[in-house]
């Protein structure tokens, strides 16, 4: 860096931060193509968030962290799927069909319950959007039964539409991780044989 300096933020500049200081770095040039430092050179970005109160700052920070997590998920596993709970509805239908055709005994009930659990996602999404969840889930079932696997909850139009056409997508890793963690949690709970209460 050719120009590194510290500037104290005070009443003179009309700005303030909790720490009272910012560090500004300028004049960083990209190394030449044949330079050994080129391979390890990275771009650094500093985001300076300002808000009227602490709550707005925390909300902005949370939104920024969520965006970074989405980018990280896409970089880690470069795959996108339709959003709007379209994958969950398709999994519920496929599992329900498999349980009726191939499962036997108590496995049938387990698979049906597992499939029903996936329908909680579109139900909750529609409910949070102020829509009729039962009607939306029923419409999604019909759409997916007709082969429209990318149809999900469109909260803007209040109906089921093609999420890929609406450009509503999400990282595959997010859905896969959620299903794995939820399944592992249920399996752990089912392994509990008994609960022994303790007294203080």
């Amino acid at each position: 860096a050719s120009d590194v300096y510290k500037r104290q933020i005070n009443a003179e500049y009309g700005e303030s931060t909790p720490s009272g200081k910012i560090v500004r770095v300028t004049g960083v040039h990209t190394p030449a193509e044949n330079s050994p430092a080129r391979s390890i050179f990275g771009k650094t970005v500093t985001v300076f968030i300002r808000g009227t109160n602490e709550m707005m700052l925390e909300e902005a920070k949370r939104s920024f962290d969520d965006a970074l997590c989405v980018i990280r998920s896409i970089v880690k596993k470069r795959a996108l799927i339709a959003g709007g709970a379209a994958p969950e509805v398709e999994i519920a239908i496929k599992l329900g069909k498999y349980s009726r055709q191939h499962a036997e005994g108590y496995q049938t009930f387990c698979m049906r319950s597992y499939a029903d659990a996936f329908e909680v996602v579109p139900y909750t999404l529609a409910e949070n959007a102020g829509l009729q969840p039962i009607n939306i889930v029923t419409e999604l079932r019909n759409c997916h039964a007709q082969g429209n696997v990318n149809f999900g909850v469109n909260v803007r139009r209040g109906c089921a539409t093609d999420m890929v056409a609406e450009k509503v997508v999400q990282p595959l890793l997010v859905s896969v991780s959620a299903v794995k963690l939820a399944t592992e949690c249920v399996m752990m709970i089912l392994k509990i044989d008994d609960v022994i209460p303790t007294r203080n």
Side-chain angles (χ1 to χ4, degrees):
S2 60
D3 181 16
V4 179
Y5 65 93
K6 295 182 179 181
R7 177 163 61 92
Q8 179 77 28
I9 297 180
N10 49 32
E12 180 181 352
Y13 296 96
E15 298 175 340
S16 63
T17 62
S19 62
K21 293 182 180 180
I22 61 171
V23 178
R24 184 176 178 182
V25 180
T26 61
V28 180
H29 301 287
T30 304
E33 291 289 343
N34 56 357
S35 174
R38 178 77 180 191
S39 59
I40 61 174
F41 180 79
K43 294 182 179 180
T44 304
V45 177
T46 300
V47 180
F48 191 60
I49 301 176
R50 300 182 62 185
T52 56
N53 52 47
E54 192 69 23
M55 185 179 67
M56 291 187 64
L57 288 175
E58 291 297 328
E59 183 66 19
K61 182 178 180 298
R62 185 190 64 81
S63 300
F64 192 76
D65 290 339
D66 291 343
L68 290 178
C69 289
V70 171
I71 299 300
R72 181 190 62 83
S73 299
I74 296 176
V75 172
K76 190 173 182 180
K77 190 175 184 63
R78 298 187 177 183
L80 294 172
I81 57 176
E88 288 78 6
V89 176
E90 185 66 19
I91 292 174
I93 293 177
K94 295 295 184 182
L95 277 177
K97 183 178 180 181
Y98 183 86
S99 64
R100 293 189 300 269
Q101 296 179 353
H102 302 286
E104 297 180 356
Y106 69 92
Q107 293 183 352
T108 304
F109 298 99
C110 293
M111 288 187 178
R112 285 181 182 177
S113 299
Y114 193 74
D116 293 339
F118 279 97
E119 292 189 352
V120 175
V121 177
Y123 187 95
T124 305
L125 183 60
E127 190 175 29
N128 291 342
L131 307 176
Q132 295 294 332
I134 297 178
N135 297 338
I136 293 295
V137 173
T138 303
E139 184 180 359
L140 282 174
R141 287 178 183 173
N142 295 332
C143 293
H144 281 256
Q146 296 173 4
N148 300 317
V149 296
N150 292 327
F151 271 53
V153 182
N154 191 327
V155 297
R156 294 179 180 175
R157 299 184 182 181
C159 60
T161 59
D162 191 340
M163 293 289 99
V164 176
E166 297 286 343
K167 297 182 180 180
V168 179
V169 293
Q170 64 186 29
L172 175 63
L173 185 62
V174 174
S175 296
V176 172
S177 300
V179 172
K180 285 184 177 180
L181 291 174
T183 304
E184 290 174 359
C185 180
V186 172
M187 292 175 62
M188 181 178 63
I189 294 175
L190 291 175
K191 288 180 180 180
I192 299 175
D193 297 327
D194 195 5
V195 177
I196 301 175
T198 59
R199 295 181 181 179
N200 294 331

